Amino acid sequence: MSVSEICRAAAHASHAVRELNTGVKDDILRAMAEAIDTGREELKQANSLDLEAAAAAGTSRTLLDRLTLTDGRIDAMVRAVHTVIALPDPVGEVVRGETRPQGLVIEQVREPLGVVAVIYEARPNVAVDVAALCLKSGNAAVLRGSSIARHTNEAVFDKLSAVLAADERVPTDAVQMIRDVSRDAALELMRAKEHVDLLVPRGGPELIRSVEDNATVPTVIDGAGNCHLYIDASADPAMASDITVNGKTSRPSVCNAVETLVVHEDLAGTWLPKVLDELAGRDVSVRGCPRTREVWPQAEPATEADWGTEYLDLVLAVRVVADLDEAIGHINRWGTSNAEGIVAQDISAARRFARAVDSGSVFVNASTRYSDGGEFGYGVEIGVSTQKLHARGPMGLESLTCVKNVVWGSGHVRILR
Amino acid sequence: MSVSEICRAAAHASHAVRELNTGVKDDILRAMAEAIDTGREELKQANSLDLEAAAAAGTSRTLLDRLTLTDGRIDAMVRAVHTVIALPDPVGEVVRGETRPQGLVIEQVREPLGVVAVIYEARPNVAVDVAALCLKSGNAAVLRGSSIARHTNEAVFDKLSAVLAADERVPTDAVQMIRDVSRDAALELMRAKEHVDLLVPRGGPELIRSVEDNATVPTVIDGAGNCHLYIDASADPAMASDITVNGKTSRPSVCNAVETLVVHEDLAGTWLPKVLDELAGRDVSVRGCPRTREVWPQAEPATEADWGTEYLDLVLAVRVVADLDEAIGHINRWGTSNAEGIVAQDISAARRFARAVDSGSVFVNASTRYSDGGEFGYGVEIGVSTQKLHARGPMGLESLTCVKNVVWGSGHVRILR
């Protein structure tokens, strides 16, 4: 099937998916979880084909990490589906309702968007997360993975598709995969305006730019995560170290890892060199501003480019600032509206930072690594929105719905004033 | 100032507007309402210049109606501002908050978007509505009216701007108007991605298409209103007539006026000819499908183009259908997701229609003319969204905000599973 045929079939299926009862949707998700769980050997075998090819092609450590399917990660995929099953169905929720003075009853009712498409790179869990969230929220899904994970993605999709084919209550076309991994196929999907209600790109800057330049379908951008952590003068030093080390080193390849550490000058001579020693001991390379290099000369000099770079690796940019204002200014200039953190005991500094920083999520005395649909209670995430409209930060079931106004009258006609 | 200088100034002002207390914002809105009220003679004088030029240029009745400023409409502008004053301030509202199992407190806090731009045609009230809604929701506003209303728009803007200039608590740049009415200026605004957080176009199909083709800033489309009214076999005949006549004739130039009447075949020989006689007596021209012309031969034959046309005039397309499914099919094929209505006593038909029709607002036994921010309790509207993402239907204060995740920890670090 061509991309547009796939999208048309998904749109057709979406009419039936929209009307499925929660019980039926949960049955299907349970069967999908089981299919992934019991089919794990096949999945790992397919994954090893992709890993071998990727390693032979000299793929980066970051990408290899994202691509790798372990038993632990398969367990997490299965667990994610069960978390989504446990969530309330958003469809039909009346989010607001009132009787207006003229007697009209206005209900705002949550309903599915229709067809949700996701273009993603490497991570094999995305197909499962997206299928679970889309079905639970009454949407049809169109998946388009990258060539590097082709065998893994097809193996995962085949498991999901077999579940749909075996259950006559739901159309098999409710979850589809575009197997054509060419650039043209991606472009066709970005322009399938007649059939696609939402496209979420999950990948690197090149993919995002291509979607921004070419998409005519509605999009929510899951953009870069150039995340900042600011250490205020009032910070508890041990807490600041823990959160810094966790933010940078616990999983450097993900979008909520810290890329730039911003430090109040009061801590430059005391706390900063110690935490940089600790980070260096964990193989982190440091790119510092001049004041950083004064107190920790091992740092490479940071250039402007460093402030704007999402390393996704064991590299950290460090900047010393004179005060909170300078920190906020730096973050709003260079941040990508993904996740930023502050460590502070001073309540005014924390409150001001939370309000003034332009970001999807602001963490006070907690690691930015918590910017995650699972941690936020959304089960899993369809992505992390770095835009302001429709959804911001980790996106769960609600972000896959829209709200319709249903107005009940009893013969009301509007008389002009 | 150039367009990009105006947008930059608005972005700069938005930082201060964002932090204004509700009391200050309401003071400013009260002063604006008074300035419009007491300055009405100047406004009408400026409006008469525009009306003379428009009439001389052979402007359509519809557009002249939209352009005209009467005392009644000025009263409505003043009243609209007072309605916005009476609304709760959306900024800072915690829309959801919970303590997660790991101990993090997650608050989702409503905050202003930043800079909201509106490109609008003809209607002089838009500047006042937009300024009131933007300021109340903590946003800076950039207005760009059309050449046909140039004198009126400048007179209105000068009243608003004088209020801002007289109050030192708020930056004068908080509300701005682009006086350059050239196409190039509009294009520059559509591409001011660095400074504009939301653009809402309010105008005809040509403007909408230009925004869809050229905008790089985030947009919410206030698109066409090809509204449908379906009369079910179970309808109360008198109620059906009242709602039909109100939908078509009370103000044909607006986007919530009925453009196509869809009628169940059971009513074709009885109710339909009578209502068409009544409409004809009110100067409505009818374009009918073959079955309509069988029972009311005076109708012109409807072509496919009629189903897709928003007449905005005393013209009505009429189609007879065999059942509810055919009605829903017709509406979902030709509708513009603005507002659609059903007249029915049968509860199953009404519920099914409300769920299955793909539209921003669905009216059951009420005129589509109620699709309006004022009637919905939003004070006034920034526009009527015909898209699914971010906002749907009449847009009030909430649609000018986004929701940030603010997460409070006590030294939380994320341990990998």
Side-chain angles (χ1 to χ4, degrees):
Chain A
M1 281 207 289
S2 72
V3 172
S4 80
E5 283 166 346
I6 288 173
C7 293
R8 187 179 305 117
H12 186 73
S14 74
H15 297 297
V17 178
R18 167 184 295 271
E19 304 204 23
L20 291 176
N21 286 335
T22 312
V24 173
K25 295 189 284 195
D26 288 346
D27 283 349
I28 293 160
L29 294 192
R30 256 185 298 272
M32 284 181 168
E34 197 183 331
I36 297 294
D37 197 4
T38 58
R40 64 175 62 215
E41 292 313 318
E42 281 167 75
L43 301 186
K44 285 190 288 184
Q45 209 171 324
N47 187 241
S48 68
L49 294 178
D50 289 328
L51 285 172
E52 277 163 35
T59 302
S60 74
R61 186 170 46 168
T62 298
L63 205 52
L64 283 177
D65 171 47
R66 290 186 170 194
L67 180 57
T68 304
L69 214 49
T70 62
D71 271 313
R73 288 193 184 167
I74 292 173
D75 290 343
M77 285 159 74
V78 172
R79 215 164 38 227
V81 177
H82 283 289
T83 320
V84 174
I85 292 170
L87 293 173
D89 188 336
V91 178
E93 185 196 356
V94 179
V95 298
R96 179 174 156 255
E98 80 178 295
T99 302
R100 298 286 309 149
Q102 80 289 71
L104 290 174
V105 176
I106 302 191
E107 292 173 352
Q108 297 190 314
V109 184
R110 207 175 274 294
E111 62 175 29
L113 288 170
V115 175
V116 176
V118 175
I119 301 179
Y120 61 105
E121 290 177 351
R123 297 190 195 164
N125 65 302
V126 172
V128 176
D129 292 359
V130 169
L133 287 172
C134 285
L135 287 178
K136 183 82 184 212
S137 56
N139 292 287
V142 176
L143 305 164
R144 206 282 196 168
S146 57
S147 56
I148 198 175
R150 206 175 126 187
H151 295 96
T152 315
N153 288 340
E154 294 194 354
V156 170
F157 171 71
D158 289 344
K159 294 284 166 212
L160 303 179
S161 197
V163 169
L164 293 172
D167 194 321
E168 60 182 15
R169 297 172 299 177
V170 57
T172 309
D173 291 342
V175 178
Q176 307 221 46
M177 172 167 282
I178 297 171
R179 291 174 196 255
D180 179 349
V181 291
S182 71
R183 187 177 144 75
D184 280 351
L187 286 175
E188 207 179 329
L189 177 57
M190 293 177 202
R191 291 173 181 149
K193 201 179 171 181
E194 220 184 315
H195 301 302
V196 173
D197 295 290
L198 171 65
L199 168 66
V200 181
R202 293 188 61 175
E206 207 183 322
L207 172 63
I208 302 301
R209 206 171 310 118
S210 176
V211 168
E212 286 178 337
D213 290 349
N214 298 297
T216 59
V217 300
T219 57
V220 171
I221 299 298
D222 176 323
N226 185 22
C227 300
H228 295 77
L229 178 64
Y230 169 61
I231 312 296
D232 189 57
S234 68
D236 175 283
M239 187 192 290
S241 299
D242 288 349
I243 290 176
T244 304
V245 171
N246 183 257
K248 184 68 256 178
T249 68
S250 60
R251 196 166 175 193
S253 69
V254 290
C255 74
N256 57 19
V258 169
E259 304 292 6
T260 297
L261 180 69
V262 181
V263 182
H264 192 282
E265 62 180 11
D266 287 2
L267 307 178
T270 53
W271 175 84
L272 183 56
K274 272 185 263 173
V275 79
L276 294 182
D277 284 342
E278 184 172 350
L279 288 166
R282 294 168 182 254
D283 297 328
V284 175
S285 308
V286 175
R287 315 267 173 91
C289 71
R291 299 189 63 186
T292 302
R293 298 184 69 226
E294 276 174 29
V295 299
W296 205 75
Q298 306 93 298
E300 298 280 316
T303 65
E304 276 242 323
D306 284 298
W307 306 138
T309 300
E310 183 186 12
Y311 300 115
L312 295 171
D313 207 343
L314 287 171
V315 182
L316 181 70
V318 182
R319 180 164 171 188
V320 174
V321 294
D323 54 24
L324 180 60
D325 274 335
E326 197 181 337
I328 292 170
H330 178 96
I331 293 169
N332 287 346
R333 166 78 183 80
W334 295 105
T336 50
S337 198
N338 194 312
E340 329 295 331
I342 181 174
V343 183
Q345 288 300 316
D346 182 282
I347 193 170
S348 302
R351 283 266 166 204
R352 171 106 205 286
F353 186 91
R355 199 188 54 211
V357 164
D358 180 17
S359 188
S361 304
V362 174
F363 293 84
V364 179
N365 294 337
S367 173
T368 57
R369 291 276 292 107
Y370 284 104
S371 171
D372 174 275
E375 297 292 337
F376 275 44
Y378 303 164
V380 286
E381 67 198 19
I382 198 89
V384 178
S385 165
T386 53
Q387 67 187 39
K388 290 182 179 174
L389 297 194
H390 186 66
R392 218 173 176 199
M395 298 164 68
L397 290 174
E398 264 189 25
S399 66
L400 302 179
T401 65
C402 58
V403 172
K404 175 194 272 177
N405 301 287
V406 179
V407 184
W408 303 88
S410 49
H412 284 70
V413 293
R414 190 169 168 206
I415 309 302
L416 277 185
R417 289 188 281 229
Chain B
M1 283 207 287
S2 74
V3 171
S4 80
E5 284 165 345
I6 288 173
C7 294
R8 187 178 306 114
H12 186 74
S14 74
H15 297 296
V17 178
R18 165 184 297 269
E19 304 205 20
L20 291 177
N21 286 334
T22 313
V24 173
K25 295 189 283 194
D26 288 346
D27 284 350
I28 292 159
L29 293 192
R30 257 185 297 272
M32 284 181 168
E34 196 181 333
I36 297 295
D37 197 5
T38 59
R40 63 174 64 215
E41 292 312 318
E42 282 167 74
L43 301 187
K44 285 189 290 183
Q45 210 171 324
N47 187 240
S48 68
L49 294 178
D50 288 329
L51 284 173
E52 277 162 35
T59 303
S60 74
R61 187 168 46 166
T62 299
L63 204 54
L64 282 177
D65 171 47
R66 291 185 169 194
L67 180 56
T68 303
L69 213 49
T70 61
D71 271 313
R73 288 195 183 165
I74 293 173
D75 290 344
M77 285 158 73
V78 172
R79 214 163 40 227
V81 178
H82 283 288
T83 320
V84 174
I85 293 170
L87 293 173
D89 189 335
V91 178
E93 185 196 355
V94 179
V95 299
R96 180 174 154 255
E98 79 178 295
T99 302
R100 298 285 310 147
Q102 79 291 70
L104 290 174
V105 176
I106 302 191
E107 294 173 349
Q108 297 191 314
V109 185
R110 208 176 273 293
E111 64 175 28
L113 288 171
V115 175
V116 175
V118 176
I119 301 180
Y120 62 105
E121 290 178 349
R123 296 189 196 165
N125 64 302
V126 171
V128 176
D129 292 359
V130 170
L133 288 172
C134 286
L135 287 178
K136 182 82 185 211
S137 56
N139 292 288
V142 176
L143 304 164
R144 206 283 197 163
S146 57
S147 56
I148 198 175
R150 206 175 128 189
H151 296 96
T152 315
N153 289 340
E154 293 194 354
V156 169
F157 171 71
D158 288 344
K159 295 283 165 212
L160 303 179
S161 195
V163 169
L164 294 172
D167 193 321
E168 60 183 13
R169 296 172 299 176
V170 58
T172 309
D173 292 341
V175 178
Q176 306 221 47
M177 173 167 281
I178 297 172
R179 291 174 197 255
D180 180 348
V181 291
S182 70
R183 186 177 144 75
D184 279 352
L187 287 175
E188 207 179 331
L189 177 58
M190 294 176 201
R191 291 173 180 147
K193 199 178 172 181
E194 219 184 315
H195 302 302
V196 172
D197 296 289
L198 171 65
L199 168 65
V200 181
R202 293 188 60 175
E206 207 183 323
L207 172 63
I208 301 302
R209 206 171 311 119
S210 176
V211 168
E212 286 177 337
D213 290 348
N214 297 297
T216 58
V217 300
T219 58
V220 171
I221 298 298
D222 176 323
N226 185 22
C227 300
H228 295 77
L229 177 63
Y230 168 62
I231 312 297
D232 188 57
S234 69
D236 175 284
M239 187 192 290
S241 298
D242 287 350
I243 290 175
T244 304
V245 170
N246 184 258
K248 183 68 254 179
T249 68
S250 61
R251 197 166 174 191
S253 68
V254 291
C255 74
N256 56 19
V258 169
E259 305 293 7
T260 297
L261 179 69
V262 181
V263 182
H264 191 283
E265 62 180 10
D266 288 1
L267 306 178
T270 53
W271 175 84
L272 182 57
K274 273 186 263 175
V275 81
L276 294 182
D277 284 342
E278 185 173 348
L279 288 166
R282 293 167 182 257
D283 295 328
V284 175
S285 308
V286 175
R287 315 268 172 92
C289 70
R291 298 189 64 186
T292 302
R293 298 185 69 225
E294 274 172 31
V295 299
W296 205 75
Q298 304 93 300
E300 298 279 317
T303 65
E304 275 242 323
D306 285 297
W307 307 139
T309 299
E310 184 187 12
Y311 300 115
L312 296 171
D313 208 343
L314 287 171
V315 182
L316 181 69
V318 182
R319 180 164 172 189
V320 175
V321 294
D323 54 25
L324 179 61
D325 275 334
E326 196 181 336
I328 292 169
H330 178 95
I331 294 168
N332 286 348
R333 166 77 184 80
W334 295 105
T336 51
S337 199
N338 195 311
E340 329 296 330
I342 180 174
V343 183
Q345 288 300 315
D346 182 282
I347 193 171
S348 302
R351 283 266 165 205
R352 171 105 205 283
F353 186 91
R355 199 188 55 211
V357 164
D358 179 17
S359 187
S361 304
V362 174
F363 293 84
V364 180
N365 294 336
S367 174
T368 56
R369 291 277 293 105
Y370 284 104
S371 171
D372 174 274
E375 297 292 337
F376 275 45
Y378 303 164
V380 287
E381 66 197 20
I382 198 90
V384 177
S385 166
T386 52
Q387 68 187 40
K388 290 182 180 175
L389 297 194
H390 187 65
R392 215 173 179 201
M395 298 164 67
L397 290 174
E398 263 189 27
S399 67
L400 301 179
T401 65
C402 58
V403 171
K404 176 194 274 178
N405 300 289
V406 179
V407 184
W408 303 88
S410 50
H412 284 70
V413 294
R414 190 171 169 203
I415 310 301
L416 276 185
R417 290 190 281 229

